[in-house]
Structures are given as C-alpha cells and as structure tokens.
Amino acid sequence: VDIKQRRKPEDPEPKATMWRMKTIEAIELAPEGWTASDFDDSGWMETTLPISWRDNHTAVLRASFEIDNKHAVRALRLRQYAFRQDAIQVFINGKPVAKISESGGGSQITVPLNDHAVKLLKNGRNTLAATYKHTWRWGRYFRGKDSVYHGGVNLTLEMQEKE
C-alpha cells in the first residue's frame, strides 16, 4: 500500500509503505480484532506491495499512516490492482469502508470512499487494513521475473485536501 497525499512538485517522492501481512486459509481464521488500530501485528511478515501469496488462501494486511490535520482531508479514494481476488474488504481504524466481491482476471479498481471513511480519520496514527482471498487454483503464471503473478495485489489510499 502506498498512502498518497497531494504533493507539491518540489516534494520528494514518498517511500513505499511498509505493510504487515499474515496468510491464513480462510478469513474466519483471522486473529480477533486484526483491523483495529491497537492490534499487535509485530509477529506478522513485513513487506511492501505489490505482493502475491499461496494459491486459494486469504491474506490480511495492515499499514499505518499519519494525518497531521484530519479536518484538512476533503475526500479519500482507494486505487488497487487485484488479480484473481475475492471477498476484498478494506478498513480504516477498524471500521469497514469498502467491500468488493471479486476482481476477476486482473483489474485496476478505483473506489471513491464516502464521508463515513473521512470521519474515521484521526489526527496522528491511523491504520488501513485489508483482506483478499486468492482464488486462482491452477498452476503458476509469471509475467517476467519482477512482475506480480496471479494473486497479486497493490493498494493505494489517496487523500484529497481541502482547498
């Protein structure tokens, strides 16, 4: 996940966001409270996106981001690429903000979030959590050594500031 805010041309390019990730057989096996801001994910794998994982398993992902002034945020939008994913859910500070049934053979998905999502933001540390169920069942298909293969996910939360 990259968490982006509108930047001035002279601002440096932001670094990739560090995510915590756990792979499980089904979402019902996710640790209780895993979407909450205060959940301890220190034992989970640390990674950057894009990422892929084991066939027909579910990944739960968490990343933190900082907000200096929550009242300056006008709108939020999710932009993600998901290949062969199902039961996609996204949470901000433990509360659901988006649900997507499936991504099929590979899709760029853009989801404007409503005012409810903006109201969930708080000054300081915030948590973005997401879950994806990998639905590809047949062999591996790679598109070059550095590219994401089936099951790949990349997620960006974009913020628009008030003028």
Side-chain angles (χ1 to χ4, degrees), residues 1-7 17 63-79 92-93 111-113 117-118 120-128 156-163:
V1 168
D2 288 326
I3 298 167
K4 295 184 177 180
Q5 293 177 322
R6 187 182 296 168
R7 299 181 312 114
T17 302
S64 296
F65 61 99
E66 296 287 326
I67 299 283
D68 292 331
N69 179 3
K70 69 179 185 175
H71 300 292
V73 178
R74 177 179 165 184
L76 296 171
R77 176 173 61 186
L78 291 173
R79 186 179 307 271
I92 293 177
N93 295 325
V111 180
L113 300 178
V118 174
L120 293 173
L121 296 174
K122 55 188 178 183
N123 290 333
R125 184 178 177 267
N126 290 265
T127 301
L128 182 66
T156 302
L157 176 64
E158 297 175 333
M159 295 181 210
Q160 181 182 35
E161 294 179 347
K162 294 178 181 173
E163 299 289 326

Side-chain angles (χ1 to χ4, degrees), residues 42-147:
S42 61
W44 292 14
M45 178 179 87
E46 191 172 69
T47 188
T48 57
L49 299 183
I51 188 84
S52 297
W53 59 91
R54 175 181 267 176
D55 300 349
N56 206 27
H57 277 64
T58 296
V60 289
L61 299 145
R62 294 170 43 85
S64 296
F65 61 99
E66 296 287 326
I67 299 283
D68 292 331
N69 179 3
K70 69 179 185 175
H71 300 292
V73 178
R74 177 179 165 184
L76 296 171
R77 176 173 61 186
L78 291 173
R79 186 179 307 271
Q80 64 182 351
Y81 173 82
F83 188 86
R84 300 284 185 192
Q85 301 296 321
D86 193 9
I88 301 166
Q89 296 181 68
V90 180
F91 305 83
I92 293 177
N93 295 325
K95 304 293 184 196
V97 295
K99 241 182 201 187
I100 302 160
S101 60
E102 68 174 293
S103 65
S107 322
Q108 182 72 35
I109 302 166
T110 300
V111 180
L113 300 178
N114 62 22
D115 290 341
H116 168 72
V118 174
K119 289 176 185 172
L120 293 173
L121 296 174
K122 55 188 178 183
N123 290 333
R125 184 178 177 267
N126 290 265
T127 301
L128 182 66
T131 181
Y132 298 83
K133 181 176 185 338
H134 184 294
T135 61
W136 191 263
R137 294 175 187 256
W138 305 101
R140 298 194 182 273
Y141 174 66
F142 291 89
R143 292 180 287 187
K145 75 177 187 87
D146 294 324
S147 61

